[in-house]
Amino acid sequence: MKTVIMGAVLACGLVSAANAQAERPMTQFTRSALLSALSGIDAQTEEQPGKTNISVTFDNGLMADALLMACDDDGTSHNCLGTSILVTYETPDDATPAKVREAINEYNYRQNFGRAYLDPDGQISLRMYIIADGGITMANYKRQLALFSLSAAKLPDYVYGE
């Protein structure tokens, strides 16, 4: 009986240690952590040889570009403090620039995950930036990415009136 109790105590200790390890805040981002977080929210990723950005397709069909930023070495994505997710949208041909700006402003007012803007080429863009400064848990990292994909899927409603 002592062996069974001791085994149960050890097993509980190992599970607790594993949970504590999983929830220990990350103080920097790595490619593997980003890929793991995206996989954890059922997003598909595609890496391209020689490129630091990662193509992402979220489970709602939204396509994005992920990039680790503020790195000690940008080329190798080593010791990165930021994650950037970018989605771009086609600007409607039948909408005036003023109408597009109005839709973007309304989106930014009502939605909280990401910032929409017109880039210098006039393309509608939506970006979210997540920082690791001070630490972030994997659960929080995944949640922010998931909430961004939900919010970003709403932007066409504002711009195209869908």
Side-chain angles (χ1 to χ4, degrees), residues 26 29-45 54 56-58 66 68 83 85 130 136-147:
M26 298 179 287
F29 295 119
T30 62
R31 277 184 93 73
S32 62
L34 175 57
L35 291 168
S36 177
L38 290 166
S39 174
I41 60 169
D42 297 325
Q44 302 297 312
T45 58
I54 299 168
V56 179
T57 303
F58 289 99
L68 294 175
T83 299
I85 306 291
I130 303 170
I136 181 173
T137 64
M138 181 59 83
N140 185 271
Y141 196 27
K142 289 180 197 176
R143 188 68 180 143
Q144 287 191 59
L145 292 165
L147 289 170

Side-chain angles (χ1 to χ4, degrees), residues 63-67 84-88 117 125-128 148:
M63 297 174 73
D65 188 65
L67 182 65
S84 174
I85 306 291
L86 173 69
V87 179
T88 57
Y117 56 93
S125 299
L126 176 60
R127 182 181 305 273
M128 179 177 70
F148 172 75

Side-chain angles (χ1 to χ4, degrees), residues 90-97 100 160:
E90 292 298 319
T91 303
D93 293 332
D94 60 344
T96 64
V100 172
Y160 308 117

Side-chain angles (χ1 to χ4, degrees), residues 49-71:
K51 301 241 180 192
T52 55
N53 59 313
I54 299 168
S55 297
V56 179
T57 303
F58 289 99
D59 66 345
N60 60 7
L62 183 74
M63 297 174 73
D65 188 65
L67 182 65
L68 294 175
M69 301 182 78
C71 306

Side-chain angles (χ1 to χ4, degrees), residues 87-157:
V87 179
T88 57
Y89 305 83
E90 292 298 319
T91 303
D93 293 332
D94 60 344
T96 64
K99 190 73 171 162
V100 172
R101 280 192 297 277
E102 181 182 313
I104 288 172
N105 285 341
E106 184 70 16
Y107 171 86
N108 285 333
Y109 175 72
R110 302 214 177 269
Q111 299 297 317
N112 297 313
F113 289 90
R115 177 181 50 91
Y117 56 93
L118 283 173
D119 74 10
D121 296 325
Q123 182 157 33
I124 300 168
S125 299
L126 176 60
R127 182 181 305 273
M128 179 177 70
Y129 193 73
I130 303 170
I131 62 170
D133 303 41
I136 181 173
T137 64
M138 181 59 83
N140 185 271
Y141 196 27
K142 289 180 197 176
R143 188 68 180 143
Q144 287 191 59
L145 292 165
L147 289 170
F148 172 75
S149 75
L150 293 173
S151 178
K154 296 177 182 179
L155 181 61
D157 294 341

